[in-house]
Amino acid sequence: MIRIGCAGWSLPRDVQEAFGEGASHLARYATRFPVAEINSSFHRPHKRSLYEKWAASVPEDFRFCAKLPKTITHEKRLVDCEGLLDAFLEQAGGLGTRLACLLVQLPPSFAFDAAVARAFLELLRSRFPGSLAMEPRHATWFEPEADALMRELQVARVLADPVRHDPGRAPGGWPGLVYLRLHGTPRVYYSSYETPVLQALAQRLQLARAEGADCWCIFDNTASGAAAGNALELQRLLEEGR
């Protein structure tokens, strides 16, 4: 399956007519998109009841990816964080079966350490049976040893745009999941993607699906409101290409 969505579920005024009716922005968002990425969980904890409210606002087949808190990834840097991880999973567990994926984004200064990475990813794997996507940003995470560890533990390496390191031009880690995060180029979080770029992206996603991968494509160029429009256009291109 190819799942197209956005980081968050804001609906810019210029595309609101493309969405159905609903009691909230999330409910309306879910009339067109099958997935959403929750980024706010990175910045602050949410009560389980809020996750439950979000789950109740979307159809049964809708799926969320929740981003791990920065207290785990940026402050503890994946070490001695079992309690923090359990607290986060208990909260996000309010999404129930709609929680399909977790996103682990690392700071640019975080170099690959095999012992630290294995210990944390095995801990996370033991607690969460769903899909795992990791977005490292230090060059050492794009080398064969790191890639092999992620493959072993079934963790996909995110393909993030803009690309920081040349090996990051393709997804890595476990090939069963292809997870794209499109932050906007050249101005991160603001720039909209032109149609030729989206056409090439549609072709790459179709190829990954044909190879058996579960594909997520999340637009994070939300600061200018471009994400929803880009996601709608990519949906259209994929439908035309069937």
Side-chain angles (χ1 to χ4, degrees), residues 55-182:
S57 300
V58 298
E60 287 188 8
D61 59 352
F62 189 94
R63 295 293 180 263
F64 291 95
C65 177
K67 190 174 180 179
L68 262 63
K70 64 181 178 182
T71 52
I72 294 173
T73 56
H74 288 55
E75 295 174 19
K76 289 290 189 177
R77 298 173 79 89
L78 309 186
V79 176
D80 296 331
C81 55
E82 185 173 349
L84 290 169
L85 180 61
D86 287 343
F88 166 71
L89 291 174
E90 193 282 328
Q91 295 156 12
L95 294 171
T97 58
R98 292 171 178 81
L99 178 59
C101 185
L102 296 178
L103 172 66
V104 185
Q105 185 190 61
L106 302 179
S109 62
F110 195 149
F112 176 70
D113 180 306
V116 169
R118 176 177 289 280
F120 175 77
L121 291 177
E122 287 181 346
L123 174 68
L124 183 55
R125 259 282 157 244
S126 72
R127 283 160 165 72
F128 184 71
S131 297
L132 297 177
M134 176 171 277
E135 184 180 356
R137 291 180 283 179
H138 191 280
T140 53
W141 284 87
F142 297 83
E143 296 176 357
E145 183 182 4
D147 201 65
L149 176 61
M150 286 187 277
R151 278 178 173 264
E152 176 189 342
L153 297 176
Q154 296 190 355
V155 178
R157 192 188 70 227
V158 170
L159 192 169
D161 182 75
V163 174
R164 290 172 176 261
H165 309 287
D166 198 59
R169 295 186 183 280
W174 187 53
L177 173 65
V178 170
Y179 199 105
L180 311 183
R181 301 191 78 223
L182 307 177

Side-chain angles (χ1 to χ4, degrees), residues 19-40:
F19 296 84
E21 295 299 318
S24 65
H25 276 287
L26 175 56
R28 293 194 65 195
Y29 171 98
T31 64
R32 286 299 303 267
F33 296 130
V35 294
E37 188 181 89
I38 300 173
N39 272 218
S40 56

Side-chain angles (χ1 to χ4, degrees), residues 181-192:
R181 301 191 78 223
L182 307 177
H183 302 298
T185 302
R187 189 181 180 195
V188 178
Y189 305 126
Y190 286 86
S191 294
S192 180

